[in-house]
Amino acid sequence: MNPPVPSMASTDLAREWSIVHILSMWYRDHHRRLPWRETRDPYRIWVSETMLQQTRVETVIPYYHAFLERFPDVAALAASDEEAVLKCWQGLGYYSRARNLHRAARLVVERHGGRIPDDPRAFLALPGVGAYTAGAVMSIAFHRPIPAVDGNVLRVVARLENLCDPVDHPTVRRRIERLVEGWLQQAEPAVFTQALMELGAVVCTPRSPRCGACPVRSACRAHRAGTAEDLPKRAPKRPRRQKVVLALWCETGEGVVVEQRPADGLLGGMWQLPAHELDADALDAPSDAGRDAESGGAAEAAGPVRRALMDCLQRVFPGTACHAVRFVEVARERHVFTHLEWSVRLFRPEGMPAGARVDRTRFRVVCRDELGGLPWPRVYEKLISGALQMLI
DNA sequence: AATTCGGGGTA
DNA sequence: TACCCAGAATT
């Protein structure tokens, strides 16, 4: 079934030939059928590659279908509101991907007449398109030999070449890109690019790689050296910073007070309840000042927690006398991000003076039925559902 | 070169 | 728990 290997079987040239062709044929025969592999539409491939950044295939699949149903082509995406795009992205994480993709779609309409550029430099110039995504779309959609080096390819190549340097260093990464670029010259780019990633996803996995099932193990230097399990090397990660988030459930006759986060930074553009974020060690340092009193089974805020909540409340209702309010905790969530950890506590102010006016320039008041129409981070989804369940 | 960006599956 | 995932932008 495989074509004959050239006679110079022990040379580097034959090894490269083997990597390119054996792997390509293996991909043709064994690849998984994934939604974005059923199309040749560059837009759809671009959307999939954007969603797949740092995100697992199984996670992406439902989002991919829903997104393309809502935004079937670049023009539809460009014509939509950013908030609608974020809503489709809700729960997927890394929300700057959604906002960049939306901006990029508008640029494609403006600059390129609505057609996705088949030129690597023009495509790379779009927001949210980095070296990987450019290589992936160029090779898969336009059959151009541009390397697409993701986490799978880093691992596969580090093992094939037995590279013991940390792969998350730019110099090592560039070295791997050069290697792949060379292999691509002898390959069908759309096939070989996906073959490398597929091998990493299915066979050459991070832990317990299935070397026995690998079509190119005879070309793998790590397998020969017995180091496959230990590769690739990565730089150690720093511990997460701990933060406390104090949020408010302010429900008036009109509805619930909500606000949109700033466009850039953490959870940019997503909605949240009025909140105050502070370093965790700022709270637990003073001995007993931050401890909360128990009253009637519900925790009531005291000390610095109460002061922070009061600041927050004054932002929502500027110029309103709130001295007498008590804050009753109605929900609590821990949420882990890549580089920080949130401990969120949601409080309901009790005893608000009648006629308190919400600052509508910073906040919006929406009725309960409309909460679901806004894009929320996962942690606020959980908090709100918890609060609604408690408050009925 | 190092940080900052989500969220979830898995051992 | 710790790791890692079809990474990009910012500093």
Side-chain angles (χ1 to χ4, degrees):
Chain A
M1 161 143 229
N2 296 341
V5 177
S7 56
M8 59 279 205
S10 61
T11 68
D12 289 348
L13 216 60
R15 177 173 170 271
E16 291 191 19
W17 185 95
S18 176
I19 289 171
V20 170
H21 291 92
I22 304 283
L23 206 48
S24 293
M25 287 185 294
W26 171 82
Y27 177 78
R28 284 198 166 95
D29 293 342
H30 296 297
H31 71 79
R32 296 167 294 171
R33 295 192 54 167
L34 299 174
W36 42 89
R37 289 177 175 166
E38 308 287 324
T39 180
R40 299 168 53 90
D41 180 356
Y43 168 71
R44 292 180 173 246
I45 293 168
W46 178 22
V47 169
S48 78
E49 294 300 345
T50 305
M51 287 187 168
L52 286 161
Q53 290 166 14
Q54 295 291 283
T55 310
R56 296 171 186 283
V57 164
E58 314 82 65
T59 307
V60 164
I61 289 174
Y63 283 90
Y64 175 81
H65 290 302
F67 192 93
L68 288 173
E69 185 145 336
R70 182 75 196 274
F71 313 109
D73 49 45
V74 194
L77 182 57
S80 64
D81 294 333
E82 181 184 286
E83 189 161 294
V85 181
L86 282 174
K87 187 63 192 176
C88 265
W89 213 272
Q90 170 177 314
L92 199 52
Y94 287 144
Y95 299 100
S96 64
R97 292 183 296 177
R99 294 188 293 109
N100 283 333
L101 184 61
H102 181 233
R103 276 203 298 149
R106 294 189 164 177
L107 288 171
V108 166
V109 169
E110 290 174 17
R111 292 181 190 168
H112 305 103
R115 293 189 69 86
I116 290 161
D118 63 353
D119 168 45
R121 294 200 322 183
F123 189 65
L124 193 55
L126 296 170
V129 178
Y132 165 75
T133 305
V137 173
M138 290 303 112
S139 60
I140 298 171
F142 297 117
H143 305 275
R144 307 197 52 165
I146 315 293
V149 176
D150 68 340
N152 287 313
V153 179
L154 283 180
R155 182 174 57 255
V156 167
V157 177
R159 286 173 177 166
L160 279 174
E161 302 299 315
N162 198 25
L163 300 176
C164 299
D165 309 300
V167 293
D168 45 7
H169 275 56
T171 58
V172 180
R173 185 197 174 77
R174 273 192 290 277
R175 181 174 168 193
I176 292 177
E177 281 174 350
R178 291 303 176 196
L179 272 169
V180 174
E181 190 176 13
W183 296 340
L184 276 170
Q185 304 309 314
Q186 325 165 35
E188 156 49 34
V191 172
F192 185 64
T193 292
Q194 297 189 80
L196 280 174
M197 293 193 283
E198 186 75 354
L199 188 73
V202 179
V203 175
C204 196
T205 49
R207 283 164 302 195
S208 31
R210 303 165 52 200
C211 297
C214 180
V216 289
R217 66 178 175 280
S218 65
C220 182
R221 290 175 172 158
H223 181 246
R224 183 173 298 268
T227 55
E229 287 255 23
D230 308 319
L231 294 178
K233 300 287 189 188
R234 287 180 193 275
K237 312 182 167 78
R238 301 211 330 281
R240 283 185 284 270
R241 294 195 314 271
Q242 308 289 318
K243 288 208 165 193
V244 171
V245 179
L246 303 173
L248 285 177
W249 181 267
C250 298
E251 193 164 16
T252 70
E254 310 260 338
V256 184
V257 180
V258 301
E259 71 175 326
Q260 189 173 24
R261 294 179 63 88
D264 36 53
L266 184 66
L267 303 170
M270 303 294 280
W271 287 75
Q272 66 174 16
L273 301 170
H276 197 271
E277 301 168 20
L278 58 167
D279 291 334
D281 49 6
L283 269 186
D284 52 30
S287 56
D288 58 348
R291 201 164 298 152
D292 302 329
E294 290 285 335
S295 64
E300 180 190 339
V305 171
R306 177 180 161 80
R307 281 194 291 279
L309 287 168
M310 196 61 83
D311 286 350
C312 196
L313 193 63
Q314 288 294 339
R315 282 207 311 277
V316 178
F317 302 99
T320 303
C322 300
H323 324 294
V325 253
R326 305 186 314 131
F327 296 99
V328 179
E329 185 165 11
V330 293
R332 189 189 287 235
E333 282 296 333
R334 286 190 82 69
H335 193 73
V336 179
F337 299 92
T338 301
H339 63 293
L340 68 97
E341 194 168 331
W342 271 7
S343 177
V344 191
R345 302 173 65 185
L346 179 61
F347 292 88
R348 177 171 57 85
E350 213 172 71
M352 280 294 290
R357 288 272 174 268
V358 176
D359 177 1
R360 306 261 175 167
T361 65
R362 294 204 216 181
F363 301 92
R364 192 190 293 184
V365 181
V366 299
C367 65
R368 289 190 181 190
D369 294 341
E370 291 169 341
L371 286 174
L374 296 172
W376 299 93
R378 208 52 125 190
V379 59
Y380 276 97
E381 266 193 298
K382 293 181 190 167
L383 283 168
I384 290 171
S385 96
L388 287 176
Q389 195 165 345
M390 164 161 287
L391 304 169
I392 302 289

